[in-house]
Amino acid sequence: MRYEMPTTAKAAAGLLAKEKGRAFVLAGGTDLLVKMKAGVVEPDLIVDIKAIKGMKDIKKSAGGFVIGAAVPCVALSENAALTKAWPGVVEAANLIGSKQVQGRCTMSGNLCNASPAADSVPALIAAGAKVSIISAKGSRKVAVEDVTTGVGRTSLKKGEFVTAIELPAKKPKSGDAYLRFIPRTEMDIAVVSCAVNVSLDAKGMITKARVVLGAVAITALLVKDAASAIVGTKLDDAAKAKLAAACSAACKPIDDKRGTVEFRTEVAGVLARRAAEIAYARAGGKQ
Amino acid sequence: MSLDSMNPALVEKHFKVIGTRVARPDGVDKVTGRARYGADAAMPGQLVGLVLRSPHAHAQIVKIDISKAVKLAGVKAVITSADFPDHTQGDRGMMDILENCMARGKALYDGHAVAAVAAIDAATARKALKLINVTYKILPHVTDVDEALQIHAPVLHPHIYTEGLSEKPTAASNWNKHGEYGHGDVDAGFKEADMVISRSYKTEQTHQGYIEPHSALASVSPDGSAEMFVCTQGHFVYRNQCATLLGLDANKLRVTASEIGGGFGGKTHVWAEPLALALSRKANRPVKLTMSREEVFRCTGPTSSTSIDVKIGAKKDGTITAAWAELRYQGGCFPSNWAELGAMTAFACYDLKNVKTVSKDAVVNRPKTAAYRAPSAPMAAFAVENTIDEVAKAIGMDPIDFRIKNAAKQGTKSSYGPVYGPIGIGPTLEAAKNHPHMKAPLGKNMGRGMACGFWFNFGGQTCVDVNVTPDGNVTIAQGTIDVGGSRASIAMAVAEELGVTYNQVRSIIADTSSLGHNDMTDGSRGTFSTSKAAIFAARNAITVLRDRAAKIWEIPASEVEWRDGAAHAKGVNHGNRTPLSLKEIAAQAGQTGGPIAGHAETVADNAGVSFATHIADVETDPETGRSLIKRYTVIQDAGKAMHPSYVEGQYQGGAAQGIGWALNEEYVYGKDGRLQNAAFLDYRIPVCSDLPFIDTQILEIPNPNHPYGVRGVGETSIVPPLAAVSIAVTNATGVRQTHIPMSPPRVLKSLKTKKK
Amino acid sequence: MGVHVRSTVNGDAVEFTCPEDEVLLDVLRNRLGLTGAKEGCGTGDCGACSVILDGRLVCSCLVLGAEMDGKVVETIEGMADGAKLHPLQQHFIDGAALQCGVCTPGFLMAADALLRKNPDPTEEEIRFGLAGNLCRCTGYDKIVRAVQAAAKEMRG
């Protein structure tokens, strides 16, 4: 195995493109090193992107936030502006692993690891986040929901890697929230999760909504029916019931060591309702 | 041993050291990273040992081809069962241990060792494992205890015929042992009852979950001598077992115990240690073999999963007229008697006229089980205490009053046979009833449960050396592993006896060539038995000290007494002599007969049975089934708490393990018989944020069979939590919880039955 | 083969060569003789290998040795000031916050990292701050109390 620590994104992309064997990008390493330990992956090349300029920066502009691919999740919660604008995203990212893991893990890694249970991914999708992808040939931007294509699979082509995640500027009277279900209070993988992002009008009516479920299908699910269930409402009980039903209906989960189909389907609705309540309150809505 | 040493009146004496909260001798090393655990040692030229394990739950090993692995550069030894000729001389139990260490002909569970390698580094060893080619013929498997007992279940061992039946069965089966305990006439008792409740329960398999994986550093010399540095609860037992399995003389195998990073029963017999020795013997180099966390879960000894039926009858006035239970436990792939232990403990808290328990022990295609803190008792208590709770409610009596009314007491014939001496079940129940916790208000979705637990406690073979140093201080060599602070407690006992300060006394764990045999630290025996031996050793040292003082004074030893750390001459002729301190006598040892020491060897019988009552408050989310512990109280009889902080630590640690078991911990097997959650990620032991502070109340009902009244305290604390927490969840949700762990999917499903 | 690395461990300049895929935990334990960090799982689930890397708490089993060039590592071996124990270490002993002690180095590093960031944590903040460190002996009760006591002493 070779270990490279290039100082430019272009050099990194070149290394990845050139490698004939199995090449992996290393940011926080909290998934990659676990897989190496288990013998699930045996890299021929590891490209550490942490020495590349900007990879560890969070930049705020009128257009929103650009979060470098090597920003550890703990740094997100240390950024007051980001936490104020996207509390749901920051909370989701800060649920990944322990404090120790927080010091290393990144949202970009969480996304590219392509686990259906990734905590930050539903929140990013709900927020309408995009990712910047670079390769030797150039760069492109895609919506977060277009990155993961299956369990452990992404739409990234050989030689491509994520350089940043971009969050839009927070709209007035909007709010986001993320909740996951785990059996313990910490250290578990989400059994089912839900992110909600809502925008309200002056009267507290929901004008736009994005509802995303995690761990109930091979990728995070953007549930349009769930959004329509609450748009045009003030998140009254009937709307919440419709939201929960739409979420449960959208689930395509499996039985595994963490939960059953029945459990995930039911709790998806429960979490959607609860997350929507938080997001609605954060947007300034009063129930 | 002098008669006064057994006098319970001594318990009333005023202690100077016992009962204080001194600092442990291993404390600084443990907070600075200096303490050496199993994997922390090294020997010159050591190799790395790794084990190849079966991926199948049950398979014939048709062929093992090691030829490629042997040829790999850097590989120094490859072993299989062929490297372990049978030295067991017909001892089937030892053969089971050997067969578990290395499969012989058949792999009996997912993770069963089939070969091992020693190589110059881990990378080479990993490569070598991949080069070993094992041809398996997969056999049908069974992992569930009730299925294993079915007539058509795949049979693991053709030599197992159920033991304990009046007639020998005609066919081999997985049912290895039948047992019965009790007295009276339960049929007549049930007829007398106004209310009879029958219930069936299940508990899933759990692991001790110690944080330190097993590790052994073994070095076998060509002259047949060997040494091993290893994490273990009993290095003498490891020495004896390894010597037998490898055909070594026990005197030539010197085992040094590392600091132990938790055991809870899981480090009571050998797993990969014989492999480390065999690899070293073959490679002629030291070999370090450390398990991965995955191996710890897959290949060491968890506790049984169980299936239990309970039937209890009572009169309206609260008298239990009859109690019956059948307990079915799987012991993994080799015969065990865990169900029998469960049957013995099931009704031990109660004074019953008519009681009967039946045990069925079974083998399944899971790892060989080991003891786990009060082994078998938590599951039995879960089933019995829930039924007790249900009967109490059915007759309209407060469950705590119902228990108090039926509690065992001094003179009660226990459900497993013996008649009790002074015991603490009644006092723990009264303390629980009067505890502020019982009266605290409960919030929304909350429930409170209380339950009792029992454990036998054990004594066993123990020996201790007490040596006085020339500068007048004291060293102790003990042979029982210190798992929870016993080096401090033993030093306290010797300081108490000698009348010196705790700081003048230091205890170490001697290696197996420095002391006689000691049983392992299990059965809550560490502090009980070792302090008993240490007290006798100290008293023997005092006899020597009195002799030496007599010699210095030139008076008869009978006219010298020992108190407050000094020899005092007594009697009219000698009363004006200045007392001789330990230091002064030690300084003259060379002139008065040589080094001063006391030794004691004992079988520390009558450990003193132990009882506890726990109270749990739980909040259960009715929409997700998740339960959180909001408050928890442990009340337990310690006999005498030598070091109260360490006693509290045992109460809290046992409760936390029980809470984890009650709520989330379980082995999950796939249909293929493979363990699916061999990692701390999905084997969910409680984390810090899962628990509240755990309140403790230490009761002291002296054990008449220990000089200070000490009882074992280590295990009983894990017995009530499964019951207390499940009763709390039952009260929070209104649905009786009969399946442990009460994982959220299981609880949410149970709530559906209520809605229907 | 291997990566040549220069870094600072507990204030000392160290230099080592390790295979590209070797984790920091193995470097500390097998190359630098610092066995205070323990491998309880090797997968970031138990926290027994916790160290502080450039001021951040990490699991040393989830960091490559190759990444260490120019980095500053603090381990349990560097926590005491010579013979004087850190208040956390002293309170762990005094408060019986350890039994077997194998998780203790990790807990002390995690508690140290917590108190640097938050000198006056609530019980809940301590519990969540230490949730990445598993202890199987104590039920965490005396650990949380020891951290509270040390924090109080350190605040003066």
Side-chain angles (χ1 to χ4, degrees), chain A residues 42 181-189 256-260 262-263 266-267 270-271 273-274, chain B residues 130 621 623-624 626 628 664 668 676-677 680-685 687 689-690 744-745 748-749 752:
Chain A
E42 290 177 5
F181 181 84
I182 55 170
R184 290 181 293 188
T185 53
E186 273 285 359
M187 300 303 290
D188 291 329
I189 303 289
D256 68 8
K257 61 193 169 191
R258 295 180 186 139
T260 59
E262 185 188 9
F263 180 80
E266 179 164 350
V267 175
V270 173
L271 292 187
R273 209 178 63 225
R274 292 177 182 180
Chain B
K130 287 187 181 162
D621 182 339
E623 291 186 318
T624 65
R626 186 171 85 155
L628 295 174
N664 282 309
V668 180
Q676 298 191 337
N677 58 336
F680 278 132
L681 183 62
D682 286 299
Y683 183 87
R684 303 181 192 94
I685 78 172
V687 299
S689 48
D690 289 343
L748 196 61
K749 198 172 178 184
K752 293 274 166 56

Side-chain angles (χ1 to χ4, degrees), chain B residues 304-351:
Chain B
S304 308
S305 56
T306 74
S307 172
I308 303 172
D309 306 322
V310 180
K311 185 176 172 186
I312 295 174
K315 286 190 189 161
K316 278 183 187 145
D317 72 355
T319 311
I320 297 176
T321 58
W324 172 92
E326 182 178 292
L327 304 96
R328 299 170 295 274
Y329 288 38
Q330 60 83 6
C333 57
F334 293 104
S336 66
N337 63 345
W338 301 125
E340 190 172 20
L341 273 183
M344 291 169 77
T345 63
F347 293 107
C349 292
Y350 300 105
D351 186 1

Side-chain angles (χ1 to χ4, degrees), chain B residues 34 125 166 208 373 412 511 533 681:
Chain B
R34 281 186 227 186
S166 49
Q208 300 84 353
R373 203 171 200 155
T412 294
D511 66 52
L681 183 62

Side-chain angles (χ1 to χ4, degrees), chain A residues 42-55:
Chain A
E42 290 177 5
D44 295 298
L45 170 69
I46 280 182
V47 178
D48 187 339
I49 59 168
K50 290 194 286 295
I52 298 170
K53 196 164 178 281
M55 286 289 165

Side-chain angles (χ1 to χ4, degrees), chain B residues 362-386:
Chain B
V363 293
V364 300
N365 294 110
R366 294 194 190 210
K368 174 181 163 65
T369 49
Y372 178 18
R373 203 171 200 155
S376 304
M379 309 80 131
F382 161 61
V384 166
E385 291 293 291
N386 265 284

